[in-house]
Amino acid sequence: MNFENILVSQNENLAVITINRPTKLNALNKKTIEELHTAFKALDVNSKIKVIIITGSGEKAFVAGADISEFSDYTTEEGAELARNGQELLFNFVQNLNTPVIAAVNGFALGGGLELAMAAHFRVASTNAKMGLPEVSLGVIPGYGGTQRLPQLVGKGKAMEMIMTAGMISAEEAKEWGLVNYVVAQEELIPLCEKLASKIIRNSSVAIAAAIKSINANYNNTVNGFNVEIEQFGISFGTNDFKEGTTAFLEKRKPNFE
């Protein structure tokens, strides 16, 4: 896959997507969002790929925000359409992807950058990472799911504080508040993500996809998450992975999932 603003690499069952706009601190513009959608979609249907890592080029920024120059003169209708399209193409799309996505936050993750990291299934940060949603300082609010996902991760009070002050928190603060799972030195960031990915790869991709669907249902007010879990649990019994996993357990060997 050849893109203008992102790089995609694959190594056996692992894929790494790198947002590559270093002169813009990897800021998200419409072109980059479209390319990310295309890459995630292609990797998700690739049966060889079991985990995707998303990161930014360089050591300064994961994604320093949205490309403000693109929408500074938008009308009310155009602004709503920008948020709607972005959520559908990338942020909601990533959250509901069957393939696990790990965000390797290597530096600033601001605005749309933090929203992208929060859409991933979990996050690992470098020690120099700074995270925040500064949109209100521009007279707007987060539009790519930030007002919804941040409270889910850090709680309503802290989310209100972060959004209303437009301030940044450090990587250690992010870990303390549950926004990231681990904080490591810059040079250890991708290796740790790869180590976590290797643990995921050993397990059933079919079961993991069902778990993602079930967990996400807990945050969807239109469905009963417990019912989704029951449904997905039952479906698991009809899969080849369930047969292989249980057979391997009874035979005291490692499973060989398809």
Side-chain angles (χ1 to χ4, degrees):
M1 292 181 282
N2 294 317
F3 299 101
E4 181 181 333
N5 296 327
I6 67 174
L7 304 171
V8 180
S9 63
Q10 300 179 36
N11 182 14
E12 295 183 351
N13 302 121
L14 175 65
V16 178
I17 300 175
T18 304
I19 300 166
N20 189 35
R21 301 186 74 210
T23 60
K24 297 287 187 179
L25 292 179
N26 303 323
L28 294 177
N29 59 4
K30 287 193 289 185
K31 178 70 172 178
T32 305
I33 287 175
E34 290 169 359
E35 290 187 352
L36 285 168
H37 171 81
T38 300
F40 275 114
K41 186 176 182 179
L43 292 170
D44 193 43
V45 298
N46 184 339
S47 60
K48 292 183 179 179
I49 300 302
K50 306 298 183 184
V51 179
I52 302 169
I53 296 171
I54 176 75
T55 192
S57 63
E59 298 182 353
K60 291 183 178 180
F62 172 72
V63 173
D67 197 332
I68 297 168
S69 62
E70 274 197 340
F71 56 80
S72 59
D73 60 350
Y74 271 21
T75 65
T76 300
E77 292 76 14
E78 288 172 326
E81 190 66 15
L82 177 73
R84 186 178 298 109
N85 287 341
Q87 289 192 26
E88 181 180 336
L89 272 177
L90 183 59
F91 301 86
N92 293 349
F93 187 77
V94 168
Q95 176 176 294
N96 294 303
L97 213 66
N98 287 320
T99 307
V101 179
I102 304 172
V105 183
N106 56 312
F108 290 109
L110 304 176
L114 180 54
E115 289 172 304
L116 177 57
M118 291 191 294
H121 297 118
F122 63 89
R123 290 144 293 283
V124 181
S126 59
T127 51
N128 68 318
K130 298 284 186 181
M131 290 163 242
L133 295 175
E135 283 86 348
V136 297
S137 68
L138 302 173
V140 70
I141 69 168
Y144 288 144
T147 65
Q148 306 304 300
R149 293 189 180 95
L150 188 60
Q152 292 169 0
L153 290 165
V154 304
K156 180 180 178 181
K158 188 62 177 177
M160 286 283 196
E161 177 191 339
M162 288 178 64
I163 291 171
M164 289 192 287
T165 63
M168 294 185 292
I169 62 173
S170 69
E172 285 297 336
E173 288 177 292
K175 181 183 175 185
E176 178 184 344
W177 283 97
L179 188 52
V180 302
N181 292 23
Y182 303 94
V183 176
V184 293
Q186 181 84 242
E187 62 271 16
E188 298 173 17
L189 180 61
I190 296 301
L192 176 56
C193 290
E194 290 174 341
K195 181 179 179 180
L196 292 166
S198 69
K199 293 181 178 181
I200 295 171
I201 288 167
R202 291 199 294 263
N203 299 317
S204 164
S205 294
V206 175
I208 287 171
I212 290 171
K213 184 174 183 178
S214 300
I215 293 167
N216 284 341
N218 183 51
Y219 299 97
N220 186 340
N221 291 330
T222 65
V223 300
N224 183 313
F226 289 98
N227 287 340
V228 174
E229 180 184 282
I230 291 167
E231 177 188 22
Q232 293 300 313
F233 182 76
I235 290 172
S236 297
F237 279 71
T239 66
N240 291 330
D241 278 11
F242 174 76
K243 295 173 184 176
E244 169 60 16
T246 52
T247 300
F249 177 82
L250 295 172
E251 294 177 354
K252 296 181 180 180
R253 61 173 174 82
K254 292 182 179 181
N256 182 25
F257 295 115
E258 295 181 358

